[in-house]
Amino acid sequence: LMPTAYSQKSDRDLVLACQKREPQAFEELVKRHQRTVYSLLYQLAPDWEDTSDLAQEVFIRVWRSINNLRNPASFRGWLTQIVTNLFYDELRKRPRRLPTVSMDDSHGGEDGESDGSTRDIPDTGILPDEKILNKEISEVIRQAMLRLPEQFRTAIVLREVEGLSYDEIAVITQTEMGTVKSRIARARTKLQELLKPYIEQSQSVTEVSSDG
């Protein structure tokens, strides 16, 4: 078979071909899913600089253990689990570089420390160019995500970015369903809190430009 024949196949058929140890089928799977793997790793660990090495390690694990995948149609979910497991393995090995924000801390406001949570958010106004604006928003979100503790960030990424159910997240992260729901709810609250100054600033700039 020519390599082009593999590009017509479904993920399920590619998995079956990989289980017969056909390298070209694996090449097609990598090509098809490498962007997803990069994106997921970047969302889980925005401050790590070796994303490409980790993505490579993900696909080494995929090739090594693809024969264990009993339901080839569930490849996408299985791949997410491999990425998440690698992330946890790396977390255990790496020194903690960033202080994490405790979800139980009361948020300053009444005591005059309301600026505390906005320090890391860049004070840049809305720019007319939409591409620059999107990039700016992405960076603000990335900075906010960085300030979440890892377990909260993992839960919300799997839910919001990967679209997994609470059940699936509980299995992948090996936690109780109630814990998963609690982490996601608290992560959402914290993100809203961190992004609030930026959203308010955007709205005030929009209002000024519409009044003018």
Side-chain angles (χ1 to χ4, degrees):
L1 277 172
M2 293 293 289
T4 49
Y6 286 97
S7 61
Q8 310 300 317
K9 290 179 179 287
S10 65
D11 280 2
R12 180 185 173 279
D13 289 340
L14 287 173
V15 168
L16 290 170
C18 286
Q19 290 178 339
K20 293 175 189 163
R21 308 321 264 170
E22 295 178 26
Q24 289 169 334
F26 182 64
E27 278 172 33
E28 179 59 34
L29 266 185
V30 171
K31 197 160 58 170
R32 205 174 280 184
H33 293 280
Q34 62 184 359
R35 187 175 287 185
T36 305
V37 169
Y38 269 88
S39 171
L40 183 52
L41 283 167
Y42 184 72
Q43 296 280 352
L44 288 169
D47 55 321
W48 293 358
E49 289 166 11
D50 54 348
T51 306
S52 58
D53 293 342
L54 294 175
Q56 216 172 346
E57 175 62 26
V58 165
F59 285 111
I60 289 168
R61 291 186 181 192
V62 167
W63 179 249
R64 233 184 256 149
S65 53
I66 202 159
N67 282 353
N68 301 333
L69 180 57
R70 292 195 184 137
N71 177 10
S74 66
F75 175 76
R76 184 73 171 69
W78 182 71
L79 179 64
T80 298
Q81 183 147 12
I82 286 179
V83 174
T84 312
N85 288 346
L86 175 66
F87 169 65
Y88 280 141
D89 290 347
E90 288 296 315
L91 265 187
R92 281 190 284 271
K93 284 191 273 180
R94 294 171 190 238
R96 297 297 169 96
R97 273 184 274 170
L98 287 161
T100 54
V101 178
S102 169
M103 288 301 183
D104 302 312
D105 285 351
S106 59
H107 179 53
E110 285 84 32
D111 55 6
E113 290 184 10
S114 54
D115 288 339
S117 64
T118 68
R119 265 198 309 273
D120 296 339
I121 295 175
D123 184 18
T124 49
I126 291 297
L127 301 164
D129 185 343
E130 212 170 295
K131 267 191 184 170
I132 297 173
L133 175 59
N134 286 342
K135 195 174 175 187
E136 189 185 344
I137 292 168
S138 298
E139 179 57 22
V140 171
I141 292 170
R142 189 181 82 85
Q143 290 292 336
M145 291 286 279
L146 263 175
R147 298 178 67 183
L148 296 178
E150 284 98 352
Q151 68 269 35
F152 293 89
R153 189 165 67 222
T154 305
I156 200 161
V157 165
L158 293 177
R159 180 71 179 159
E160 304 294 353
V161 180
E162 290 298 292
L164 299 186
S165 68
Y166 292 118
D167 276 333
E168 290 168 319
I169 297 167
V171 170
I172 287 176
T173 59
Q174 296 178 349
T175 42
E176 297 291 324
M177 171 97 78
T179 306
V180 168
K181 287 183 175 177
S182 165
R183 283 177 181 175
I184 290 169
R186 290 158 84 190
R188 281 179 182 149
T189 303
K190 191 71 193 173
L191 280 175
Q192 283 168 356
E193 196 178 278
L194 291 168
L195 294 171
K196 192 180 170 193
Y198 182 82
I199 293 163
E200 284 174 351
Q201 181 196 35
S202 303
Q203 284 169 344
S204 65
V205 171
T206 310
E207 281 162 18
V208 169
S209 60
S210 63
D211 290 345

